[in-house]
Amino acid sequence: MTQSAPIDLILLEVLKNAFETIADEMALIVLRTSHSSIVRDSMDFSTAICDAEGRTLAQGLTNPGHLGSFFDAMRHLLRQHHGAIYPGDIFIGNDPYAASGMHLPDVFIIRPIFRDGELAAWGMTLAHQVDVGGIVPGSNSLGSTEIFQEGLRLPFVKLIERGQRNQAVWDIIGLNVRLPETLFGDLGAQISACMAGERAMLGLIDRYGLATIRRYADELNDYAERLTRAEFSRMPSGTYRFVDHLDGLGENPTPIEIHVAVTFKDGEAIVDWTGTAAEVKGGINATLPFTKAATYAALRAIMSVEIPTCQGFERAVRVIAPEGTLVNPRPPAACGSRAITGYRCIDCLFGALAQIVPDRVTADTTGGSTLITFAGKHEGRQFIYAETLMGVWGGTSQHDGQDGVPHMGANQSNTPVELIESEYPLRVENYGLVSDTAGPGRFRGGNSLIREFRVLSDEAMLIVRSDKRDFPPHGLFGGG
């Protein structure tokens, strides 16, 4: 039996960076060719390259709220379409229960990559569409009580099959959304990114050979796992707990508790959300893939070494989220505005991690983006403006909190005023920092942001997802 040659560490580094470059190039294509402001300007999207088994090899430098979500989706797709995946296919899906999605506006576009008739890899994109139907424009209803009210539900189906457009699927999508031209433009951007990822991966395969790519892909995931376990082994063994809150829903909101217990033991992190409130009759339930992504994002934020953004990192993390709770709802629970809960999961986990790595976390933040949506008609045309308005970070043990930055679980951007006013019947009359709003402490938190709009159309609907009024951001170690 022939002994395999030892792993060439230089080649491993070359291929790691090649995978990451491909994923980043895909992200730039989505950014530059998308049509909606939520994708193009707010940058609410992600890209990835996966191996033939759906294991992530690299994820683009985009949205940490999607971290690790591609692997769960790929396992779902591979089960659903086993034996019926062909060159030239492009899959679309979004449903949290039928496609391991995040919420309905987050739409996967996925392309298999073949070499000589053999499945070699996958190019993947995930983008927040400006509208996928449902009871409110923008499809981010807080008041929905079941997912059927939130928009078009898609299991993984073929948008393109063997290079041929599946017109029936396009027609169904176009009939169920409020801005089909915009959505089709964003889907086109995602398709273009997947095609670019395919070309780049085939170039790597042609240069190094498929067997070498597969071997080093396996090694990359093993390497990421070893680095992660070594990092966790340096953490003090034990279990660390924290409780955070959401303000609640409706006219008479009842506070909603989020509980976490994180245990470091034998090179593994066990993150247990047991004790978190039951799922609610509202759109803020966080689907399991999103809860896992929030967990991964928080843990990666405290790592002292650079870990490849591949599936191997996830092997050292065990997430426990009891079914039927706010962090792992059962169908048909609503989840259109689930991001507010995922952000709070990160905040809650930071509260627990502050007990062991106080110099690597911040005090509490604005709690994620305030999602605002203006929708209506202007000069006979429908418009929907959606923005994930970002805020500030809390202070750290080293410096004041940052102003005007996204929540670390988002990595998104506020839309420039000039773009808003040139494309929508809106005028931004005030945008800036609010003085004397930072949490006090040896190192203060960031100052609040203000954004004032004037609607220029005759009528419009306003939808706002916001939080942390009854339970404002908490300080750490005596800070306000």
Side-chain angles (χ1 to χ4, degrees), residues 84-378:
I85 299 167
Y86 309 109
D89 285 350
I90 292 181
F91 294 88
I92 186 171
N94 71 342
D95 193 80
Y97 305 114
S100 293
M102 311 291 274
H103 67 156
L104 296 183
D106 281 350
V107 176
F108 285 104
I109 293 290
I110 303 174
R111 182 174 177 85
I113 300 171
F114 285 81
R115 171 52 77 213
D116 299 327
E118 187 174 359
L119 182 60
W122 295 83
M124 304 185 64
T125 62
L126 174 62
H128 183 122
Q129 301 298 330
V130 67
D131 182 82
V132 291
I135 60 176
V136 298
S139 313
N140 281 287
S141 171
L142 287 165
S144 55
T145 58
E146 54 183 7
I147 196 170
F148 302 110
Q149 301 166 335
E150 295 186 317
L152 178 64
R153 302 178 63 189
L154 293 170
F156 281 117
V157 296
K158 292 185 181 182
L159 196 61
I160 296 174
E161 185 167 13
R162 303 192 195 211
Q164 298 299 310
R165 185 182 174 102
N166 189 343
Q167 190 60 45
V169 174
W170 289 86
D171 290 346
I172 290 169
I173 294 171
L175 190 62
N176 281 275
V177 304
R178 293 174 175 86
L179 296 176
E181 291 183 4
T182 302
L183 184 139
F184 288 155
D186 284 353
L187 293 184
Q190 292 181 254
I191 291 170
S192 296
C194 287
M195 301 286 279
E198 178 184 45
R199 289 193 298 270
M201 278 299 293
L202 290 177
L204 275 185
I205 291 168
D206 290 343
R207 180 172 182 179
Y208 295 102
L210 183 54
T212 297
I213 294 294
R214 283 177 168 166
R215 184 184 180 205
Y216 278 78
D218 289 343
E219 178 60 26
L220 178 63
N221 276 304
D222 292 343
Y223 174 59
E225 181 182 1
R226 290 195 300 271
L227 284 177
T228 305
R229 291 191 183 279
E231 182 86 4
F232 289 160
S233 293
R234 289 191 285 271
M235 299 290 183
S237 295
T239 299
Y240 308 90
R241 304 176 186 275
F242 199 78
V243 179
D244 210 335
H245 299 81
L246 289 159
D247 288 345
L249 292 165
E251 294 182 6
N252 299 298
T254 300
I256 300 169
E257 289 192 350
I258 297 176
H259 290 243
V260 72
V262 56
T263 300
F264 291 102
K265 181 181 179 182
D266 300 328
E268 183 181 42
I270 303 167
V271 181
D272 188 353
W273 299 99
T274 300
T276 296
E279 61 189 51
V280 298
K281 287 285 188 180
I284 63 171
N285 298 292
T287 55
L288 181 57
F290 193 59
T291 298
K292 290 165 70 174
T295 302
Y296 299 149
L299 289 174
R300 285 187 67 93
I302 66 161
M303 309 293 263
S304 62
V305 297
E306 184 177 341
I307 309 291
T309 308
C310 58
Q311 192 266 331
F313 162 82
E314 301 167 32
R315 300 174 189 167
V317 182
R318 183 149 54 100
V319 179
I320 300 171
E323 191 176 28
T325 63
L326 188 74
V327 292
N328 185 12
R330 296 164 298 195
C335 51
S337 288
R338 93 287 180 240
I340 203 74
T341 299
Y343 291 139
R344 198 66 70 259
C345 287
I346 293 176
D347 299 340
C348 188
L349 191 46
F350 270 9
L353 294 171
Q355 300 168 42
I356 51 172
V357 284
D359 292 335
R360 299 188 198 175
V361 301
T362 71
D364 207 5
T365 71
T366 48
S369 62
T370 293
L371 179 60
I372 52 175
T373 303
F374 290 97
K377 283 192 174 181
H378 181 62

Side-chain angles (χ1 to χ4, degrees), residues 412-440:
Q412 296 165 13
S413 175
N414 292 347
T415 304
V417 171
E418 295 80 4
L419 290 176
I420 298 172
E421 296 183 343
S422 66
E423 294 188 22
Y424 301 95
L426 299 168
R427 185 164 65 228
V428 180
E429 299 197 333
N430 188 6
Y431 177 43
L433 298 172
V434 184
S435 62
D436 300 324
T437 54

Side-chain angles (χ1 to χ4, degrees), residues 185 467 479:
D467 196 48

Side-chain angles (χ1 to χ4, degrees), residues 6 12 73 79 82 121 225 281 334 338 365 383 426 447 471:
L12 178 65
R79 286 195 305 269
H82 179 71
E225 181 182 1
K281 287 285 188 180
R338 93 287 180 240
T365 71
F383 74 90
L426 299 168
N447 281 299
F471 292 91

